[in-house]
Amino acid sequence: AIPGIVPTGGWGYEWGSGPGWDRLLFELPYQIYRFTHDRAILEAAYPYLLRYLAYSETKADPNGLYGYGLGDWCPVGIHNYRYVTETHLLITDTLHILDMVQKTISIAKWLGKDASFLIQKEAKIKTDFRNAFIQNGRFVPDKATQTGISMALERGIFTPEEEANAMEQLLSLIHGKDEEHISIGVFGNQSLYRALTKRGQVDLAMKLLLQPTFPSLGYWADVQRFSSLPEAFEWDLHYVDIASYQGGKEFPAIRCSHNHHFWGDFVAYFYEDLAGILPTDNGIIIRPYFPSCLSEVNASHDFPEGRVSVYWKKEKDRIDVTISSPEGLNVKFENTSTSVPVYPHFVKVRE
């Protein structure tokens, strides 16, 4: 087991952990290697990834599903310190375990190790998840949420033929009961905007992000004038149930802290989807999306080989994309626009 908060400071191993938090063990070496190609962290981490996956097996229920940690934390609409989530814990935890397995498959391949047993495990988790929650290419209706559907899309639960049905169900939620606002916690925050953007809905993704009304990042920034990220959207909650939650001890009304970067995935979304900077095994892919609310985007990242920068700007009848990168680094442009011609321009810089 891994403590949910490191160092624990008294939190321990019995609360605040589970797959949603424990996956940092997998995410950190995976992302560091993506951006640096430094194998040392993979070599150091790999045995512990296998140990964690073996441990997780002891937590699986008879149907092969997982549910032993925090759920979709701090979801929109919480009204007390119990943080009851809209998305079932078996959905988010099982999809987190699947994500861990998928990243371990990549790491095993990068290290030249046999990944066949991991590939079998990935297939089993997908099958067990589908048996429990998917019918006719959609979530069973009483389990369908923005978080669940978008996470499942990002983890490859649906077949290519089913994705249209899943997207239809997701869009129905957003445009229907959720009134074109987010209805997610921190896990949905890491999947919703990406799932929409990759499937032709970048304008909707940006609308959800920038809505001027509660709840949204735009509401936090433009209306409430926050310069850091609160723990929850109902940041000024009066914890009406906290006395019962804490065994009868009375607490004064308190506010959520403003130091929770677990809402910060929009930064990576800006770099990877709006600027389109994506490191791969064979270089860098530049695959930006072009929402109608933006006229230009400018971003850069310093890789070991040197700086890669992307600047795109919409002109009257075209989009110009200027890509600057070091000599010798393989950089490829992939177009996502289906309505306006896009013209990439490559600039090579001698470091």
Side-chain angles (χ1 to χ4, degrees), residues 186-253:
V186 296
F187 300 151
N189 179 65
Q190 297 165 2
S191 59
L192 178 62
Y193 311 114
R194 297 168 185 269
L196 290 171
T197 296
K198 294 172 186 174
R199 295 163 180 85
Q201 296 290 333
V202 64
D203 282 347
L204 179 58
M206 291 299 290
K207 182 176 184 179
L208 295 175
L209 264 172
L210 302 178
Q211 280 281 24
T213 51
F214 174 90
S216 72
L217 180 69
Y219 181 77
W220 271 348
D222 296 334
V223 178
Q224 296 187 290
R225 312 300 293 178
F226 291 163
S227 58
S228 60
L229 297 171
E231 182 177 7
F233 278 95
E234 285 84 350
W235 69 281
D236 56 351
L237 284 177
H238 292 257
Y239 291 152
V240 295
D241 252 0
I242 201 166
S244 61
Y245 183 81
Q246 297 285 3
K249 184 178 179 181
E250 294 296 331
F251 280 76

Side-chain angles (χ1 to χ4, degrees), residues 281-329:
D281 292 349
N282 301 309
I284 310 296
I285 290 176
I286 306 299
R287 187 196 298 142
Y289 293 87
F290 308 103
S292 58
C293 64
L294 297 179
S295 60
E296 58 186 305
V297 163
N298 192 2
S300 64
H301 182 80
D302 291 332
F303 291 92
E305 298 87 350
R307 176 166 295 183
V308 174
S309 63
V310 175
Y311 174 62
W312 62 256
K313 184 175 182 179
K314 294 178 181 176
E315 302 295 348
K316 182 178 180 180
D317 57 355
R318 59 189 280 163
I319 301 173
D320 287 319
V321 182
T322 300
I323 302 163
S324 176
S325 62
E327 285 186 347
L329 180 62

Side-chain angles (χ1 to χ4, degrees), residues 72 86-87 139 143-153 169-171 173-175 177-185 187-189 191-193 195-196 208:
D72 193 23
E86 181 184 25
T87 306
F139 261 80
K143 296 294 190 295
T145 65
Q146 291 185 23
T147 291
I149 299 172
S150 62
M151 285 183 68
L153 284 165
Q169 189 178 31
L170 177 58
L171 294 175
L173 289 175
I174 294 171
H175 293 304
K177 79 175 186 65
D178 297 327
E179 299 179 339
E180 298 194 346
H181 284 76
I182 58 172
S183 182
I184 55 176
F187 300 151
N189 179 65
S191 59
L192 178 62
Y193 311 114
L196 290 171
L208 295 175

